[in-house]
Amino acid sequence: KAGVTQTPRYLIKTRGQQVTLSCSPISGHRSVSWYQQTPGQGLQFLFEYFSETQRNKGNFPGRFSGRQFSNSRSEMNVSTLELGDSALYLCASAEIGHEQYFGPGTRLTVT
Amino acid sequence: TQLLEQSPQFLSIQEGENLTVYCNSSSVFSSLQWYRQEPGEGPVLLVTVVTGGEVKKLKRLTFQFGDARKDSSLHITAAQPGDTGLYLCAGERDGQNFVFGPGTRLSVLP
């Protein structure tokens, strides 16, 4: 099976802009989770989607949002970008109750 | 404060040495996972432990889950340069999301 894919791999945006990141899970996986990874805070949970519904949400401001489509692909959106949003954004897919598998991430740089 | 603590934060050793890294919490987890992450890539799952006291071996890597399911250790025998990376533990609480530790950055020098 193909692994989790994330696009784009690298992105540079300026403060105030918005960005949309995409994640395609492993075939058959219906759960998709998003994480933010920074050197200072480590890996932090953003949200999890299952069957197009948000199941869990981390402690991030409302500028961070996501959605999942009927084919389990997921997108996350960050509006009004801030310098502190620069990070590696990771997507992980799983079958419910099983291990999660991570994609390579999208490296977002906000200038 | 971190829900999961990992120690040491950094570790630099010579090829062939043994090492142990630790993952500790005051919370009980239904399962605990160990990942290795290389620069610019996503974490790769190494193992999942679910039973208190469980020991799993993956070639030169030995993972142990504490009896109370609050802590875990990863022991590497005869480390090789290919073991270099960030080792992350992640705990799963029933019905909730995974919580990650800050990681141990391992460097194995040839």
Side-chain angles (χ1 to χ4, degrees):
Chain A
K1 284 185 180 177
V4 178
T5 58
Q6 292 188 245
T7 57
R9 290 294 309 274
Y10 304 92
L11 203 50
I12 300 175
K13 291 285 189 178
T14 56
R15 277 184 301 176
Q17 288 186 314
Q18 74 162 15
V19 66
T20 299
L21 311 181
S22 180
C23 171
S24 292
I26 292 172
S27 177
H29 288 189
R30 290 191 291 164
S31 169
V32 174
S33 298
W34 288 90
Y35 294 84
Q36 181 196 65
Q37 187 176 32
T38 59
Q41 298 296 320
L43 249 161
Q44 293 190 290
F45 173 77
L46 281 157
F47 27 67
E48 180 198 2
Y49 285 88
F50 177 77
S51 293
E52 302 177 66
T53 301
Q54 187 179 89
R55 286 207 327 154
N56 282 308
K57 189 177 189 304
N59 190 26
F60 277 81
R63 299 185 298 106
F64 292 81
S65 62
R67 60 178 176 169
Q68 187 180 34
F69 302 94
S70 57
N71 62 358
S72 294
R73 191 177 70 84
S74 177
E75 290 181 347
M76 67 162 282
N77 184 78
V78 188
S79 62
T80 320
L81 283 166
E82 300 177 0
L83 295 179
D85 297 333
S86 294
L88 182 67
Y89 289 88
L90 292 160
C91 161
S93 78
E95 298 178 64
I96 285 295
H98 292 78
E99 297 94 345
Q100 54 184 351
Y101 294 87
F102 283 84
T106 293
R107 170 75 61 189
L108 171 65
T109 302
V110 182
T111 63
Chain B
T1 55
Q2 295 268 4
L3 190 60
L4 272 171
E5 303 286 345
Q6 290 189 245
S7 61
Q9 189 177 357
F10 300 96
L11 188 56
S12 181
I13 61 171
Q14 293 294 133
E15 182 177 0
E17 292 184 4
N18 301 333
L19 68 116
T20 302
V21 298
Y22 300 92
C23 174
N24 297 291
S25 176
S26 57
S27 297
V28 176
F29 294 102
S30 54
S31 70
L32 194 138
Q33 300 180 336
W34 284 92
Y35 294 82
R36 181 172 66 226
Q37 184 178 22
E38 298 188 22
E41 299 296 327
V44 175
L45 180 67
L46 297 173
V47 77
T48 300
V49 286
V50 297
T51 305
E54 182 177 4
V55 176
K56 281 193 174 178
K57 292 193 175 186
L58 183 66
K59 297 183 180 177
R60 294 176 294 100
L61 279 59
T62 302
F63 305 86
Q64 185 162 8
F65 202 13
D67 291 341
R69 291 185 292 138
K70 294 183 179 180
D71 54 82
S72 181
S73 64
L74 159 58
H75 181 80
I76 301 179
T77 303
Q80 299 177 1
D83 296 326
T84 293
L86 178 67
Y87 287 82
L88 296 160
C89 65
E92 180 185 20
R93 296 172 291 177
D94 288 338
Q96 300 185 48
N97 52 279
F98 283 92
V99 175
F100 280 79
T104 291
R105 191 165 296 281
L106 172 65
S107 177
V108 182
L109 306 173

